[in-house]
Amino acid sequence: QVSVFLCGESRIRQLNREYRGKDKVTDVLSFPSFDSLRTKKAKHELSRGEIFLGDLAICHQKTQKQSREFNISYMDEFIHLYIHGFIHLLGYDHELSESEERLMQEWEQEALDLFSKLKKRRGA
């Protein structure tokens, strides 16, 4: 399970400042329930069934701006931000290293490709 909080620029800036020490607006913030789900212990937890992965805060205005900037729908940008945040909830962090950034980008692209295929199937 994942909870999603859609908020405005002032709220996401406040959260970013409070939890990451960065006093700026961002598009998505992830608040994982686990330090990392990439360990053996965490994988065991995952195999036991349904778990709460954490919270995502997504900025409505940034989603709007970026959807216009990338010339995609609001929902497509929202899904992209959701996937990006979800990967963070699993324990990946593109700010750690270049190799971690590449790995995260690969996961993100794979998820976006799957989403695109599902959209085409549904005729959306």
Side-chain angles (χ1 to χ4, degrees):
Q1 293 181 354
V2 174
S3 77
V4 178
F5 172 58
L6 191 61
C7 61
E9 288 180 337
S10 61
R11 181 68 171 132
I12 204 137
R13 182 178 184 171
Q14 176 190 8
L15 291 169
N16 202 16
R17 181 176 53 245
E18 186 176 334
Y19 290 98
R20 298 182 68 228
K22 297 184 179 191
D23 189 17
K24 64 180 185 174
V25 174
T26 191
D27 49 11
V28 60
L29 290 171
S30 301
F31 301 95
S33 294
F34 299 88
D35 289 333
S36 176
L37 289 173
R38 297 166 70 179
T39 65
K40 278 188 176 184
K41 181 181 177 188
K43 287 176 185 173
H44 175 72
E45 286 294 317
L46 284 172
S47 70
R48 293 176 49 193
E50 191 173 298
I51 62 168
F52 180 68
L53 294 176
D55 303 300
L56 297 178
I58 298 176
C59 180
H60 170 67
Q61 287 94 339
K62 288 288 277 187
T63 305
Q64 281 181 319
K65 288 175 189 174
Q66 290 173 182
S67 69
R68 287 191 300 266
E69 179 184 326
F70 303 135
N71 197 29
I72 59 175
S73 72
Y74 179 92
M75 188 53 72
D76 283 348
E77 180 60 10
F78 180 88
I79 294 297
H80 181 225
L81 295 174
Y82 178 90
I83 289 169
H84 182 86
F86 184 86
I87 294 169
H88 276 298
L89 293 179
L90 297 177
Y92 295 86
D93 188 350
H94 52 85
E95 293 182 357
L96 292 178
S97 68
E98 285 183 24
S99 63
E100 185 80 357
E101 182 176 11
R102 278 191 304 276
L103 182 60
M104 194 167 167
Q105 286 172 346
E106 289 170 12
W107 278 108
E108 199 169 304
Q109 191 57 58
E110 189 172 328
L112 288 169
D113 289 347
L114 287 171
F115 175 71
S116 181
K117 286 177 186 175
L118 287 173
K119 263 181 61 174
K120 286 179 185 173
R121 262 196 201 157
R122 297 187 72 209

